[in-house]
Structure formats: C-alpha cells, structure tokens
Amino acid sequence: MFRDVWRARPPLHKYAFPHGEIRIGVDASFPPFAVDDGQTVYGLDIDLGNAIAEEIGLPVRFVNIGFDALYDSVIIDQVDMVISALRLDPSRMAEVRYTTHYFDAGLLLVTPAGSPITMMEFMEGYDIAYEFGSLADAEVREWEKRIGRMNHQPYELPQYALDAVRLEQADAALVDSTSYYLYERDHPEWEAQTRFVTHEVYVVAIRIDRIDTWKFVNQAINTLKKNGELDRIRAKWF
C-alpha cells in the first residue's frame, strides 16, 4: 500500500534531479541528432533536451559519452537520462525505464506522388530500390515471402535509392526515415508519398528506480508533442 501511494504522488524536483540540474548523456557523433564541433554540441537531441529542461524549469548540462557507454552512464548515476537517438531495447528494461517516443526512425516506402503503390502489399512485380545489406534489404526479402517477387535495385547508399525513384528509374524505394527526411530537405521540389513499413522509435532512457525523473521527463515530452514544439524541433533539422 505504501508503494502505491509513493507511485501515485506528484513527482518532486529534489528526488528527480538531486544535483539541481538536468544531466543528459549524449553521443555527439550522429548528425543531425547530436554533433560536437569542438566548441559546442548541437542537433535535434540537444534541442529536445533543452526544451525538456525549460519545461521542467531546471538548468541543463550535456555530457558527451561514447555510444557503448551510454547505458552505463545512466545506471551509475553519471547522468540523469540519455537522449541519444536511442532505440527501445527490451533487453534493457530491467535496468532503465523508457519514455514515450519522440522520433520514428523506421523504414519508409517512398513512391512518387500519385503513384498507385501506397503500401508494400502492392509491390509484387515492381522495381524497388534500397541500400544493399541494410535493414531495408532484409525487409524486402521478408516481404517477398508473403507477396511475391519484386525487381531488386540495390544501391550503395539510401540516397542513391531515392535518386532512382526521383529520376524515374525505380517504382519505389525502401529507406529509413532519417535518410528520407534529409533527402527531402535537399530536394524540396520533389513530390513524393511515404508510408511507414516498420517502426524504430527513439526514446529517452532513465534508470529504473528514478520514478520521479521519468514522470517529469515523460510529461515534458508529451507536453512538447501537444503544443507543437516537438514538431518545430524536428522541422528545424529535417
């Protein structure tokens, strides 16, 4: 009963952020989410961290950490949370608590505007471009087991697959959403239609016992979604 009362009470700053600031772990080597230029760090994850801190009402400090050490940094209390294009990992749920997602990096089916191909179920017999050896490559082969053979056009990079669709050399491309959004930014004149085929969400990770921290951050992200600030942050970088 005591535990239920504790979980139900409003979160408190003194428990959530005992150092008087919000310490955020980030691997600043993954543009456009986080980049360290030697003088400062910037990117979508940095803007998100700043927006969360502003919503909570505390100063923020970013700690640049190698990707392989990010989970350790939050577990040993070097940081309060990790915001670093982090995918939800079920094997880590005994150690960390994840927030609601703030970005979907899943695979997108990309076709020209007005194309009758609006989902993977329609791709049998059509030309599909993708990055060779990528998750898209594997996904195409899995779909072929269900819908039938497609005409494969593998490329070295996802942007080359998108070039093939834009230049009418392929009927569709299957690429991760980050690659598509960056390509779209560089080719604003191209009209394309997209549909998610898979979902790979980015989330914030907080140590499992830091309930107050999780409540504050999760609430802040939901507020940023509702008031449009998260959309504005994403639009800035894509």
Side-chain angles (χ1 to χ4, degrees):
M1 181 176 179
F2 174 77
R3 178 178 295 179
D4 292 339
V5 172
W6 177 74
R7 287 180 181 275
R9 66 162 173 75
L12 300 175
H13 278 175
K14 66 178 181 179
Y15 296 133
F17 306 104
H19 298 276
E21 63 178 356
I22 299 176
R23 303 167 303 159
I24 299 177
V26 60
D27 174 16
S29 63
F30 186 44
F33 291 91
V35 180
D36 184 350
D37 65 3
Q39 296 181 329
T40 186
V41 290
Y42 58 89
L44 189 154
D45 284 343
I46 306 305
D47 285 355
L48 175 62
N50 282 321
I52 289 171
E54 183 175 350
E55 191 67 33
I56 293 172
L58 286 174
V60 63
R61 177 165 60 91
F62 294 94
V63 182
N64 195 356
I65 299 169
F67 190 83
D68 290 342
L70 285 172
Y71 276 105
D72 288 340
S73 71
V74 75
I75 290 167
I76 67 173
D77 195 35
Q78 181 182 357
V79 297
D80 299 303
M81 71 195 72
V82 170
I83 306 179
S84 195
L86 204 65
R87 290 177 168 86
L88 191 152
D89 183 351
S91 70
R92 291 283 190 170
M93 287 186 170
E95 301 170 308
V96 300
R97 192 181 303 271
Y98 293 112
T99 65
T100 183
H101 79 277
Y102 65 90
F103 187 82
D104 191 340
L107 294 174
L108 284 174
L109 180 68
V110 183
T111 56
S115 168
I117 304 170
T118 56
M119 58 182 68
M120 285 294 288
E121 286 87 344
F122 301 160
M123 278 303 305
E124 182 178 7
Y126 285 99
D127 301 330
I128 187 160
Y130 54 83
E131 179 186 7
F132 177 76
S134 66
L135 291 174
D137 188 337
E139 189 69 18
V140 167
R141 298 176 195 283
E142 283 299 313
W143 272 95
E144 281 188 317
K145 296 176 184 178
R146 288 173 273 175
I147 65 172
R149 183 70 180 171
M150 304 175 221
N151 301 318
H152 293 226
Q153 291 186 207
Y155 291 90
E156 183 181 359
L157 296 172
Q159 51 263 47
Y160 297 164
L162 291 165
D163 279 340
V165 178
R166 183 174 60 87
L167 299 175
E168 301 181 353
Q169 298 169 355
D171 299 303
L174 190 64
V175 299
D176 65 274
S177 67
T178 300
S179 295
Y180 171 72
Y181 295 145
L182 291 173
Y183 189 90
E184 181 187 38
R185 182 189 66 185
D186 294 338
H187 298 85
E189 77 290 347
W190 182 40
E191 295 183 6
Q193 59 191 25
T194 63
R195 185 184 183 96
F196 273 102
V197 175
T198 66
H199 297 281
E200 289 285 345
V201 296
Y202 289 170
V203 289
V204 179
I206 297 161
R207 202 171 73 181
I208 189 71
D209 61 337
R210 299 283 295 277
I211 301 290
D212 285 74
T213 311
W214 177 84
K215 286 182 178 179
F216 270 118
V217 177
N218 205 54
Q219 182 178 345
I221 294 174
N222 281 326
T223 298
L224 296 173
K225 286 182 178 181
K226 290 176 182 177
N227 66 19
E229 182 60 23
L230 184 56
D231 287 337
R232 287 189 284 272
I233 291 172
R234 286 191 294 229
K236 174 182 174 181
W237 296 101
F238 292 106

